[in-house]
Structures are given as structure tokens and as C-alpha cells.
Amino acid sequence: MATVQIGHLNAIDVRDLYPDDPAYETRDLDVIDAKIIHHSVTPAWGDPLAAIAAIYASHRRQGWSGIGYHLVVGWDGRIYLAGGAETIRAGVYGRNETSYHIVLLGDFTDATPDLRQLMAARRLLAELDYSLGRFIPTYGHRGYAGPGQGTACPGNTFGFWLGLLTDPDPGGAIKDLAGHVTGADPLRP
């Protein structure tokens, strides 16, 4: 698998393993106005490629052209490119033309992502802004979905970790759901 650059980050390109068929429509990058976070509701641990294969199979069964997300963040912090930014993916019904979709592998209904995964997603969101040349706000799928499109994605714990993805100074410590410090923020000097 090839490696591609997203800003200053490396991503593993899985587009040849999980091709779009037919191809997703494309767009001008200037229309992107939202980054959307999803959770895969697949096991958080194990082989990320197996989880990506399961996502691909599930999305194809739903009649989609391929994986509905642009990027996948594994529990180990690795980033996988599933679709180019110019493609209109299938992440949020009726709201895909102007949104960019990132999925974190795992089920965050009642658990939080691994620290490595959160820090990789944090860097990725910043690099996407850098690559596109402007700040683009980040939302959870549930908060971005249109009326009548209810979903639990990206899980009930999203409110606890959204700030770690987007806050310029998340407070210097990483806390679990009970408020216990579980580690230092590796991005803080």
C-alpha cells in the first residue's frame, strides 16, 4: 500500500484495496465547510484493515459506491485514506456535498477512543485545515445530521473528547469519563 501526504502527515492509501464502483461524484474543494467525525461501531482493537474491510462491505451492501468516509483513524494512530477530498462521500444523508468525513475505528457509545487515536485525529483535523488553506469547523455526525436523520454517531462519549480534537489548549491532561487523569497531552509543551 502506498503512503500519501495529508498536509504534513502520512496516510496509508487503501483506495486500491477498497475501490469505489461506480466512482463517487466530485466537487471543488472550496465548497467544503464542515469536518464530520464518525465512529465505526467496529471493534476498536485488532487489525485496522479488517475493520476497514468490514466498513467497505457494509457500505457496499447499502448500495453506496464504496466507503462513505474520506479518512479512517485507527486505534493505533495510523491514518488511512479511503477517498480523496474532492469526492462527495456518503457520511451524512443529504449533507455530503460540502462536508469531509473522518471515522475513528471503534464503538464510542460508552467508551472513549484510545489516546493515540485521539491525538492522531487531532493532528489530522489541523492538517486538513492547513491543506485546504482555511479553518473548517468540526462536528459529530449526530450534531450535523439534518431533521429526521437521527443517529447516535459518533457515540454518547463524543462530548467528552470533542475538545481534545479541537481545543487549542485542552488543559494539559487527558481525563477518562470519571474525570481521572489518564495521561498528559503529548501535544502540549
Side-chain angles (χ1 to χ4, degrees):
M1 287 174 280
T3 301
V4 296
Q5 290 289 129
I6 299 172
H8 298 94
L9 296 178
N10 290 324
I12 300 164
D13 191 341
V14 297
R15 292 176 294 182
D16 286 341
L17 289 175
Y18 310 109
D20 298 340
D21 183 28
Y24 278 107
E25 291 182 36
T26 59
R27 63 183 170 194
D28 188 30
L29 297 181
D30 292 340
V31 304
I32 298 173
D33 64 5
K35 296 174 293 199
I36 311 304
I37 302 296
H38 304 266
H39 69 151
S40 64
V41 195
T42 57
W45 301 98
D47 181 9
L49 289 176
I52 295 169
I55 293 167
Y56 181 73
S58 171
H59 289 186
R60 293 289 293 162
R61 279 192 302 274
Q62 293 178 60
W64 301 352
S65 294
I67 294 172
Y69 316 113
H70 294 92
L71 293 161
V72 179
V73 181
W75 62 267
D76 57 359
R78 290 190 188 129
I79 299 167
Y80 301 85
L81 176 64
E86 74 284 353
T87 59
I88 301 171
R89 309 308 284 183
V92 177
Y93 182 80
R95 307 227 31 215
N96 294 308
E97 292 79 13
T98 62
S99 53
Y100 195 96
H101 301 281
I102 302 106
V103 64
L104 279 65
L105 294 180
D107 183 347
F108 307 118
T109 303
D110 297 313
T112 57
D114 184 89
L115 179 60
R116 290 173 291 183
Q117 187 175 37
L118 284 171
M119 293 300 99
R122 176 184 169 94
R123 288 188 300 272
L124 175 60
L125 292 169
E127 290 297 333
L128 289 171
D129 287 347
Y130 173 81
S131 296
L132 295 169
R134 64 193 184 283
F135 171 77
I136 299 170
T138 301
Y139 305 92
H141 179 178
R142 177 183 355 201
Y144 193 71
Q149 300 299 318
T151 178
C153 181
N156 296 332
T157 65
F158 183 63
F160 292 100
W161 46 275
L162 171 62
L164 294 174
L165 298 179
T166 60
D167 189 337
D169 181 6
I174 307 300
K175 297 181 180 180
D176 65 15
L177 294 177
H180 302 105
V181 173
T182 60
D185 179 354
L187 297 180
R188 187 180 173 126

